[in-house]
Amino acid sequence: MRFRRKLLAVFALTVFLSVATVALIVSAMTRRSFERANADSTTALIAQFRREFNRRGEDVAHRVETIASSETTTRMALRLSHGTPDYGAYLDEARSLAENQQLDFLEFVDSQNTIISSAQSPATFGYKETFAFSPNFPKDAFLKQEGPAGDPLLALSAVRQVNLGDHPLYVIGGRRLDKDFLASLELPTGMRAMLYQNIGDIAFAAQFLTDASGAVPNADRLSRLIEQVERQHREATSLIHWSSNPADDETVQAIPLAGQTRQLLGILLVGSSRRPYVELRQHIRSASLLAGGAGMLLAIVLSGWAAARVTRPVEQLAQAARDVAEGNWNTQVTIESTDEVGELAASFNRMTRQLLEQKERLVQTERVAAWRELARRLAHELKNPLFPLQLTVENLLRARQQSPEQFEETFQESSSTLLADISNLKTIISRFSEFSRMPQPRLQSVDLNEIVRNVARLFQAQLHTPGCPPIECKLEITESMDPVAADPELMHRALSNLVLNAMDAMPEGGVLTLHTRQTEDRALVEVSDTGTGLTPEECDRLFTPYYTSKAHGTGLGLAIVQSVVSDHGGRVSVRSETGRGTTLQIELPKRGAVPA
């Protein structure tokens, strides 16, 4: 990945993480704030419910107290104290008094728990009241179920006892807790109160769940919460999903409502809509996406600016470094700033100037050294045959002066010697001339295995020369080698030189191994011997022209090999260990590769 893209990725990631972190923090803080506000609102609503409950209870108790002290009630109590009354005479008394005091429920019950008159159920006069009375009954209002067992109503009731003789009279009056009661509560925005009134052995019934507007739609979704409160008789909270839209979710807290004897008679459910929180969360997400998009755009702009400020000079430096690596040592970088990048560019320019100066000095030094080495090698190679030539000519002159009759015989012998030494001189000169005129390879598709086999066949006779220690030749050929682009004659010549060197390294005999193999993009040929090996210093100088470790040799064999392999775009290397032999390896690019 290029530095510019990395810079863009860093900027984008920084913006994304910053926006995401802020969004998460704000979302968490918003959720906690909403939950605290929701808890405070629920607590306030429950406190308001209790205040309204107490206020209405005081009102109900006051109205029942008024009825208990009324003339009609006093007259009824006096008649009860004088014997068994005619219950039919009081049939409409309760209804009339209830309407006057605006009570929903009112009953008169004698000391035997017999209903004398009932406003809500006139037909029950003469029946027994299931409610248990006691002399110490509290004067405060309390919750009580009214109506038939299958359709009960929850009422806020109060009881008063009238004593005008031996038989007390009980007055029970109350108001129902229904949607009108819930509607009288002042609710914060987004909250509502619901009341479930069907408590007992009857299973959950949706029709007995009501709020300020009446029946609650999809009331079954609250059944688990209500059943949990019925089982545990304590408050519970649950998140209710009314639809697939999270904005319709509601946090509902259920508060049990107990009667005078602590029995569960109803459940107050306080619902708090999560719509404000969901909408706020959506606003936060939208703002985060907007901020993220703006941040990404800013990251692109900043990365572009940074690229112009930083990466472009760095790219110029990288290109200049590549130019230097390719051999253009005159490359210079334009200095556009005085900061660290500018200092780097200035240092690079100084480096290239110094490299160019050092290269020129090195070239001059190498040129002088090469000429000196060439002169030394030529002097050495030419001096050896010239000395016998000189001796032969001197012998001829001496024989002609001292013994003219033997001159003919001496002349014949000296002529043969002169011709042999002149032929040797011509061979030496031919080798130097041949190295200086190495032809360029004519590339074609070549099977290296076939060339290796031909070289092995060519030297088969020399490997088993009579009177000389035998040399065993091993072929380790990798079949199905891919063809390479090469000149078959030049490669045959290079491999022949390597084989000759390997044979010369094993005067006492040994094993010559020719091995071929390939990698993904290279073909390799190795020539190994089991001779005495080379020192590290000899390995370093092995491919230097005119260098040789042999007593007699021009030092051009391996130089020719290196020249041929280099012209093919490959490389030749040496591995050697003193006393264990030497391996020379040729690497060539496969077919399709362009020779260097």
Side-chain angles (χ1 to χ4, degrees), residues 59 87 110 120 127 134 175 190 263 276 286 313 366 410 421 430 435 465 468 486 575 587 595:
D59 182 67
Y87 293 148
D110 64 9
Q120 65 271 20
Y127 286 85
S134 65
R175 285 183 175 178
Q263 75 276 25
S286 299
E366 289 180 348
T410 303
D421 289 337
S430 174
F435 178 71
T465 302
C468 296
R575 299 191 308 273
E587 297 182 28

Side-chain angles (χ1 to χ4, degrees), residues 139-158:
K139 293 184 177 182
D140 296 334
F142 58 92
L143 287 177
K144 181 178 179 296
Q145 280 189 347
E146 297 287 353
D151 188 16
L153 296 174
L154 193 60
L156 183 58
S157 303

Side-chain angles (χ1 to χ4, degrees), residues 443 483-486 521-522 568-570 588-596:
L443 300 181
V484 296
D521 59 346
R522 312 287 284 182
H568 282 76
L588 296 176
K590 290 184 180 178
R591 184 171 58 185
V594 179

Side-chain angles (χ1 to χ4, degrees), residues 79-395:
R79 291 179 182 177
L80 286 174
S81 64
H82 294 300
T84 302
D86 181 10
Y87 293 148
Y90 309 111
L91 183 63
D92 295 327
E93 295 294 339
R95 181 182 298 173
S96 176
L97 291 171
E99 290 176 357
N100 290 335
Q101 296 296 325
Q102 298 179 350
L103 294 176
D104 297 318
F105 306 101
L106 181 62
E107 285 183 344
F108 292 95
V109 182
D110 64 9
S111 60
Q112 302 300 319
N113 277 18
T114 301
I115 299 174
I116 298 174
S117 180
S118 175
Q120 65 271 20
S121 299
T124 60
F125 75 95
Y127 286 85
K128 295 294 184 179
E129 171 61 56
T130 58
F131 187 76
F133 298 98
S134 65
N136 299 323
F137 205 86
K139 293 184 177 182
D140 296 334
F142 58 92
L143 287 177
K144 181 178 179 296
Q145 280 189 347
E146 297 287 353
D151 188 16
L153 296 174
L154 193 60
L156 183 58
S157 303
V159 177
R160 291 296 181 267
Q161 182 176 329
V162 181
N163 296 308
L164 293 176
D166 297 333
H167 303 286
L169 175 66
Y170 297 101
V171 181
I172 308 173
R175 285 183 175 178
R176 66 166 57 97
L177 293 181
D178 55 8
K179 63 179 183 178
D180 295 330
F181 175 77
L182 298 176
S184 66
L185 299 175
E186 296 180 2
L187 302 177
T189 303
M191 298 191 71
R192 65 169 173 166
M194 296 171 284
L195 186 64
Y196 184 70
Q197 305 182 62
N198 189 22
I199 303 298
D201 296 333
I202 302 175
F204 173 80
Q207 63 270 24
F208 296 117
L209 179 63
T210 182
D211 59 11
S213 59
V216 178
N218 298 324
D220 291 340
R221 297 183 184 273
L222 293 168
S223 60
R224 291 186 179 180
L225 178 60
I226 291 174
E227 290 171 354
Q228 179 182 353
V229 175
E230 288 179 340
R231 290 193 306 270
Q232 300 177 356
H233 285 210
R234 62 182 180 184
E235 296 183 8
T237 304
S238 178
L239 178 63
I240 306 301
H241 303 284
W242 296 107
S243 68
S244 59
N245 185 3
D248 294 333
D249 292 352
E250 193 173 26
T251 302
V252 179
Q253 183 172 357
I255 300 99
L257 301 177
Q260 184 63 31
T261 57
R262 301 298 179 185
Q263 75 276 25
L264 189 62
L265 299 180
I267 299 176
L268 175 67
L269 298 107
V270 179
S272 177
S273 175
R274 295 179 65 85
R275 183 177 296 276
Y277 167 69
V278 172
E279 292 178 350
L280 181 59
R281 185 177 62 184
Q282 290 175 348
H283 289 324
I284 293 174
R285 289 180 178 176
S286 299
S288 300
L289 290 176
L290 181 61
M296 293 297 180
L297 182 61
L298 181 62
I300 294 175
V301 173
L302 288 177
S303 64
W305 176 84
R309 184 69 178 174
V310 178
T311 61
R312 187 175 296 118
V314 172
E315 290 175 353
Q316 292 176 353
L317 281 171
Q319 181 60 43
R322 286 193 292 269
D323 292 342
V324 171
E326 292 173 359
N328 184 11
W329 291 35
N330 294 314
T331 302
Q332 292 286 295
V333 178
T334 303
I335 302 176
E336 300 178 350
S337 62
T338 58
D339 55 10
E340 290 82 357
V341 178
E343 293 179 0
L344 179 61
S347 300
F348 179 85
N349 291 339
R350 286 196 301 272
M351 179 192 70
T352 55
R353 286 194 297 268
Q354 293 173 0
L355 285 176
L356 189 60
E357 294 173 357
Q358 292 176 3
K359 177 186 177 184
E360 292 176 354
R361 289 196 296 269
L362 182 62
V363 168
Q364 294 175 359
T365 302
E366 289 180 348
R367 187 181 296 117
V368 171
W371 280 111
R372 288 178 177 174
E373 180 66 16
L374 176 61
R376 187 186 67 81
R377 294 300 304 173
L378 283 174
H380 175 75
E381 295 296 331
L382 295 178
K383 181 174 65 176
N384 289 336
L386 286 176
F387 182 69
L389 285 174
Q390 180 181 358
L391 291 179
T392 302
V393 172
E394 291 176 351
N395 288 335

Side-chain angles (χ1 to χ4, degrees), residues 451-529:
I451 294 179
V452 170
R453 292 189 182 97
N454 291 337
V455 171
R457 284 194 292 268
L458 176 65
F459 289 96
Q460 194 65 38
Q462 293 178 255
L463 295 175
H464 299 85
T465 302
C468 296
I471 297 176
E472 179 186 358
C473 182
K474 295 175 60 178
L475 293 181
E476 296 179 358
I477 302 297
T478 299
E479 300 298 336
S480 302
M481 285 275 290
D482 295 331
V484 296
D487 186 320
E489 293 183 3
L490 291 179
M491 290 306 304
H492 188 281
R493 180 177 178 183
L495 287 175
S496 297
N497 281 340
L498 294 183
V499 170
L500 282 173
N501 279 348
M503 293 170 59
D504 290 342
M506 297 183 290
E508 304 299 326
V511 178
L512 171 67
T513 304
L514 302 179
H515 175 51
T516 63
R517 59 189 177 93
Q518 64 181 354
T519 62
E520 184 177 351
D521 59 346
R522 312 287 284 182
L524 297 94
V525 180
E526 295 180 349
V527 178
S528 302
D529 63 61

Side-chain angles (χ1 to χ4, degrees), residues 572-584:
V572 58
S573 59
V574 59
R575 299 191 308 273
S576 183
E577 186 175 349
T578 303
R580 303 190 65 177
T582 303
T583 297
L584 286 105

